[in-house]
Amino acid sequence: MGKPTRPYIVIGGILVAAALAIVAWFAVSIGSTASQARDLQAQVSAARASVAALDTAAAATDLATVAQSATALREDTQGFAWGLSESLPLIGDTARATTAFATAADQLAQAALPLVTALEGAESTTAKVMEVLGAPAEVATLRDAAEAASADLAGFTPDGLRFGLDEAMREAQEGLPSLVSTLDSFTAAAGPLSSMLGRDGPTTWLVMSQNPAELRGTGGLFNAYLIVTLDKGTLTILEAGSRKQL
């Protein structure tokens, strides 16, 4: 009676070993992708800091790194193991959020790179503003990428996400709408700002100083003036004097 059962035991053993091998492979694959996700979060933080500091050289390098890492992570999250993980109850939300975060980071980095690269040769803040004013298409591309990323990430609840993704997701959900609003404001002001800075040719301005200690209807007594020109962002003082001289 015992002999006929041996093939089933062997087959059962093989199936158990195969299942354990699949679980081990699955765990290694998920662990590797989770490590990539953590690295990408650190790279995104570095890029944000470079941009905030107006360090365009560092920002260009950081954004290129983000784009490369995000592309690699996106490719890894297209595999069977990761697709299966998205349907699991404990890590499904994190797996889907990781894919969405990688996609958003990739698209934003790719959209920002041309604009940041164009700023590398600009030394002063005014020169950087002039470069941005001359790149309305790049600004629009970045704005659209930020809006799309914001919409894609809006549906995730940061609390409970694993791999340290909770904080990164929270920052993205708060920061991306602000970025869209800032770019919209810049686009609306681009025309008047271009004219004021003399982007298309020299402009001349009368600048008047008022003393708030001697109140007048406009805010204070006018006591000094400047006549300046702005040519492609370069300021030249033509004349300066007191109220009596004017």
Side-chain angles (χ1 to χ4, degrees):
M1 295 293 292
K3 290 183 179 180
T5 62
R6 289 178 182 174
Y8 296 104
I9 293 175
V10 173
I11 293 172
I14 292 173
L15 290 175
V16 170
L20 290 174
I22 291 173
V23 169
W25 169 78
F26 181 77
V28 170
S29 177
I30 296 301
S32 174
T33 306
S35 178
Q36 286 179 275
R38 292 190 185 94
D39 290 343
L40 177 59
Q41 293 169 45
Q43 291 160 3
V44 168
S45 295
R48 288 179 58 194
S50 298
V51 171
L54 297 180
D55 187 344
T56 52
T61 299
D62 291 340
L63 286 170
T65 300
V66 168
Q68 183 177 8
S69 298
T71 298
L73 182 56
R74 286 181 67 185
E75 292 174 352
D76 286 350
T77 58
Q78 304 305 310
F80 169 76
W82 199 261
L84 180 61
S85 73
E86 291 184 353
S87 63
L88 297 179
L90 294 178
I91 63 171
D93 287 344
T94 298
R96 289 189 293 273
T98 299
T99 302
F101 184 78
T103 301
D106 187 20
Q107 293 174 343
L108 281 168
Q110 297 286 1
L113 260 173
L115 194 57
V116 172
T117 301
L119 297 178
E120 284 192 81
E123 296 182 359
S124 67
T125 300
T126 302
K128 289 180 172 65
V129 171
M130 296 299 295
E131 289 289 345
V132 177
L133 288 172
E138 287 80 359
V139 172
T141 297
L142 178 57
R143 186 260 180 215
D144 291 344
E147 184 177 53
S150 179
D152 291 342
L153 300 181
F156 293 99
T157 301
D159 294 339
L161 294 179
R162 299 172 183 268
F163 312 149
L165 192 61
D166 53 341
E167 187 62 30
M169 183 64 72
R170 191 174 292 109
E171 289 178 358
Q173 289 177 341
E174 294 173 357
L176 287 172
S178 177
L179 175 59
V180 172
S181 177
T182 298
L183 292 173
D184 282 342
S185 297
F186 182 86
T187 299
L193 190 58
S194 292
S195 176
M196 185 180 75
L197 294 176
R199 180 173 176 270
D200 298 320
T203 55
T204 303
W205 297 89
L206 172 63
V207 181
M208 303 178 72
S209 170
Q210 297 182 99
N211 182 2
E214 300 184 58
L215 293 178
R216 296 293 187 275
T218 57
L221 177 66
F222 158 58
N223 58 7
Y225 74 95
L226 290 172
I227 296 178
V228 302
T229 61
L230 280 161
D231 186 9
K232 295 178 173 54
T234 299
L235 175 69
T236 302
I237 299 176
L238 300 179
E239 185 179 332
S242 66
R243 176 180 46 142
K244 292 180 178 180
Q245 289 174 293
L246 185 63

